[in-house]
């Protein structure tokens, strides 16, 4: 079983830790027919550990859990940027040296940087701390406008909610798009958000819509193999095309056409990972008129071709299973 360790320091924020528990701590393997993760929340330093201002942490695991973990997820510390327990930094270095996958959520990137794990690497943290990360750790190639950075064995994420994006990305790397998509739907979040954290700095928050928006998206997901016109979509949910398009963008940050293209590419990823269908057949099942149309949108959103994606992703998954 894949062991995930999360080292917690005193007064660590509760929200970011809860995202780790939501994705890796809830048993989903039985319903999916796969082994799930063994999550070990561990004490990152001595003494009674407070979780923000809301309670204390009682865990049987200490930093020795880092020596057994396949993946280590570092939540943000109290202030995000101060000094950190030397034993924690040493444990992260040892884990990385033996081949563990190391990731951070939000200002947890400062912990990884203090351990020297981000030197010469691209990395991200919360938008409000980007300049400080660059100042304190000039060897880090700070990326200002993404939700998370996957640099292979070391990954970092932006602000708090972007940690959820990163956790789902890790599930997708381990188990594929279908499992990541099901995990996201159980948590009632999108399996992937396009764009970067620049879109959140600072912008007014739209008023929540009373419409059951998930039903709008499910209606389209059930019809991805055929053409979907915005007018038809709006008629199906009983609103005008203009109102529909405005509310859709308020909630998703995308136009309906952009969202459909992203969903079709994600469906193509699932089929490329899980079937031997030729690219033409994958394109048809995802609602692209031609294989060329699939290649165009697939390349724009993933930076590679469907054929290369199938080869590389299957190889990555086979290596993880073998390991």
């Amino acid at each position: 079983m894949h062991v995930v360790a999360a080292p917690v320091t005193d007064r660590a924020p509760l929200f970011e830790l809860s995202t780790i528990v939501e994705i890796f701590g809830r048993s989903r393997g039985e319903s999916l027919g796969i082994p799930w993760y063994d999550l070990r929340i561990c004490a990152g330093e001595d003494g009674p550990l407070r979780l923000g201002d809301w309670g204390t942490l009682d865990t049987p695991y200490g930093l020795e859990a880092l020596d057994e973990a396949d993946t280590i997820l570092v939540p943000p510390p109290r202030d995000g940027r101060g000094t950190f327990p030397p034993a924690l930094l040493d444990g992260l270095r040892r884990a990385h040296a033996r081949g563990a996958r190391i990731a951070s959520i939000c200002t947890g990137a400062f912990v990884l940087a203090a351990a020297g794990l981000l030197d010469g690497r691209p990395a991200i943290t919360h938008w409000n701390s980007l300049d400080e990360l660059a100042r304190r750790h000039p060897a880090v190639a700070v990326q200002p406008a993404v939700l998370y950075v996957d640099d292979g064995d070391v990954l970092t994420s932006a602000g708090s909610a972007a940690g959820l994006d990163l956790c789902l990305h890790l599930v997708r790397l381990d188990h594929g798009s279908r499992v990541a998509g099901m995990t996201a739907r159980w948590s009632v979040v999108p399996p992937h958000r396009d764009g970067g954290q620049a879109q959140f700095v600072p912008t007014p928050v739209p008023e929540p819509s009373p419409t059951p928006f998930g039903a709008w998206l499910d209606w389209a997901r059930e019809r991805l193999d055929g053409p979907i016109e915005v007018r038809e979509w709006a008629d199906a949910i009983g609103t005008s095309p203009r109102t529909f398009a405005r509310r859709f963008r308020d909630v998703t940050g995308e136009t309906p056409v952009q969202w459909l293209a992203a969903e079709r590419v994600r469906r193509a990823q699932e089929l490329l990972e899980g079937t031997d269908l030729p690219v033409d057949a994958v394109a048809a099942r995802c609602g692209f008129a031609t294989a060329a149309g699939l290649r165009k949108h697939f390349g724009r959103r993933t930076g590679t071709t469907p054929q290369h994606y199938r080869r590389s992703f299957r190889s990555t998954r086979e290596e993880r299973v073998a390991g």
Side-chain angles (χ1 to χ4, degrees):
M1 184 174 289
H2 190 112
V3 176
V4 176
V8 179
T9 51
D10 188 42
R11 291 193 181 275
L14 187 57
F15 177 84
E16 291 82 352
L17 181 60
S18 71
T19 64
I20 299 173
V21 175
E22 169 66 18
I23 299 303
F24 299 104
R26 299 182 62 182
S27 179
R28 310 181 192 274
E30 184 175 346
S31 57
L32 292 168
I34 58 174
W36 204 239
Y37 298 89
D38 176 7
L39 175 61
R40 302 178 184 180
I41 305 297
C42 59
E45 59 184 314
D46 295 331
L49 300 181
R50 293 158 292 183
L51 295 176
D53 296 316
W54 303 281
T56 58
L57 175 68
D58 182 15
T59 175
Y61 300 108
L63 286 174
E64 71 280 355
L66 303 186
D67 296 324
E68 302 174 0
D70 302 291
T71 295
I72 297 171
L73 273 165
V74 180
R78 175 177 60 247
D79 60 4
R81 299 172 291 275
T83 58
F84 309 110
L88 171 59
L89 302 182
D90 288 342
L92 292 172
R93 296 185 192 105
R94 286 197 311 272
H96 179 257
R98 65 173 173 79
R101 183 171 61 183
I102 314 289
S104 66
I105 293 179
C106 194
T107 53
F110 283 86
V111 183
L112 270 57
L117 300 184
L118 298 182
D119 289 353
R121 291 179 180 266
I124 187 68
T125 189
H126 190 282
W127 61 266
N128 196 42
S129 299
L130 290 170
D131 290 343
E132 187 165 358
L133 180 63
R135 180 175 61 81
R136 287 179 175 262
H137 302 281
V140 180
V142 176
Q143 307 295 301
V146 294
L147 293 176
Y148 59 82
V149 173
D150 181 346
D151 197 42
D153 55 343
V154 177
L155 304 90
T156 50
S157 67
S160 301
L164 193 54
D165 295 287
L166 176 59
C167 289
L168 289 169
H169 174 67
L170 294 174
V171 172
R172 180 179 165 276
L173 289 175
D174 295 336
H175 299 292
S177 293
R178 183 186 68 84
V179 171
M182 288 297 298
T183 304
R185 295 189 73 181
W186 276 321
S187 300
V188 199
V189 295
H192 173 77
R193 291 189 296 160
D194 293 311
Q197 65 174 331
Q199 62 189 301
F200 306 109
V201 186
T203 55
V205 177
E207 290 296 320
S209 170
T211 307
F213 197 78
W216 298 11
L217 305 184
D218 288 341
W219 183 92
R221 288 190 180 105
E222 293 169 0
R223 295 164 174 80
L224 287 179
D225 58 346
I228 299 175
E229 299 294 334
V230 172
R231 180 174 294 279
E232 173 195 14
W233 199 350
D235 287 345
I237 61 174
T239 188
S240 70
R242 178 175 294 182
T243 298
F244 170 74
R246 176 176 56 80
R247 290 181 177 174
F248 196 98
R249 191 173 190 108
D250 284 346
V251 175
T252 68
E254 298 180 297
T255 68
V257 171
Q258 290 170 332
W259 183 88
L260 279 172
E263 285 296 307
R264 287 184 162 126
V265 168
R266 283 192 279 276
R267 179 68 56 82
Q269 289 175 306
E270 293 178 8
L271 294 173
L272 291 166
E273 294 169 15
T275 75
D276 293 317
L277 289 170
V279 173
D280 286 350
V282 170
R285 291 200 183 187
C286 298
F288 293 104
T290 64
L294 168 60
R295 293 186 185 97
K296 174 184 175 182
H297 287 281
F298 200 92
R300 181 178 298 165
R301 291 186 173 269
T302 69
T304 189
T305 66
Q307 295 94 331
H308 187 268
Y309 177 88
R310 171 176 271 168
R311 288 194 302 269
S312 60
F313 193 83
R314 282 188 170 179
S315 296
T316 299
R317 288 185 66 189
E318 288 168 359
E319 288 171 2
R320 291 191 184 278
V321 171

